[in-house]
Amino acid sequence: MTAAAEIAALYQKDKNAEVLERLPAALMEAFATLHACEDEDEREVLVGVLCGLFYAAHAVTYQTGYEDLSVVVEDRIQWAARQSADPVARGFGDWVRTTSLMRMAAYDAGLRLLGDALTTVDPGSGQDTRRLRMTGSLHLRSAILAARARRPDIATDHVDEARHVATQVDTDTDNN
C-alpha cells in the first residue's frame, strides 16, 4: 500500500495535519482489503500495514491532545495485532496499550500485560532481529512502568535485560 508508506514518511517528518488528512481513506482501504483477503501471507502483510496506520493515528491523536481518542486507537491496534500470527505484532499491540495504562497509573496491569508479551515474543537463543528489537522495547517500557510503580528492583532488572538485548542487535536502526 503506497498510501501507508507515504503516511509513515509524513509522520516521520512530523507533518501531523497531512497525516490526519490521509489516514481515514487509508484505514478504510486497509480494512476493506484485509477483510476481503483469503491468503494468509498477504493477511500478515496487511495486518502490519494496518498496525502501522493505526500507530500513526495513535501518535498524532496523543500528540495533539486527543488522549481519549488515542485510547480508542490503542484498542484498534491491539485488535489488529491479534489478527496476526506474528508474536512481534502482538507484542507491539501490547506495548502500545500500555500508553494509556501509564496515563491511568495502572502500572501493575501494564507490567502484567508486558510480562505476557515478553513470553510471547521471546527470541530464545535465536538471532531474530525483529523479536530482539521488540523484546528490548518491551523491557524498556516495563522498566518505566516499574519505576513509576516505585519498584526499583524490577525497573533495574528490565533495564539490565534491555541492555543485554542491545548487545545482540548488531546495528542501530530506527523503525526498520
Side-chain angles (χ1 to χ4, degrees):
M1 292 188 97
T2 306
E6 292 170 357
I7 288 169
L10 290 169
Y11 171 70
Q12 291 294 320
K13 293 177 184 172
D14 214 15
K15 298 192 179 241
N16 292 345
E18 292 176 54
V19 169
L20 287 173
E21 283 177 22
R22 305 212 33 210
L23 269 172
L27 283 166
M28 284 192 303
E29 179 185 346
F31 261 120
T33 306
L34 178 65
H35 286 296
C37 182
E38 294 181 12
D39 178 83
E40 287 302 314
D41 292 335
E42 190 176 336
R43 280 185 63 78
E44 288 294 328
V45 171
L46 291 168
V47 165
V49 168
L50 197 53
C51 283
L53 290 169
F54 277 135
Y55 186 70
H58 179 263
V60 171
T61 55
Y62 183 78
Q63 291 169 4
T64 55
Y66 293 97
E67 292 179 5
D68 54 341
L69 185 54
S70 73
V71 173
V72 173
V73 177
E74 285 178 21
D75 284 334
R76 300 304 184 269
I77 292 170
Q78 213 168 24
W79 171 86
R82 300 252 183 268
Q83 303 308 302
S84 176
D86 180 10
V88 173
R90 290 173 175 253
F92 174 73
D94 293 340
W95 180 88
V96 172
R97 167 51 81 202
T98 61
T99 304
S100 64
L101 293 175
M102 281 194 288
R103 273 198 314 268
M104 296 183 301
Y107 308 126
D108 289 333
L111 283 167
R112 281 191 303 276
L113 180 63
L114 294 186
D116 292 344
L118 280 162
T119 300
T120 300
V121 175
D122 180 21
S125 61
Q127 291 298 312
D128 182 331
T129 303
R130 290 178 64 248
R131 283 185 181 223
L132 286 168
R133 288 182 195 156
M134 181 52 61
T135 299
S137 294
L138 292 168
H139 277 299
L140 289 173
R141 178 67 60 99
S142 295
I144 293 167
L145 287 160
R148 289 185 179 183
R150 299 178 195 266
R151 297 168 79 181
D153 293 346
I154 294 172
T156 300
D157 290 346
H158 282 294
V159 169
D160 291 344
E161 287 296 327
R163 241 189 222 116
H164 174 71
V165 169
T167 65
Q168 298 175 51
V169 178
D170 61 354
T171 185
D172 182 19
T173 60
D174 185 24
N175 298 320
N176 291 326

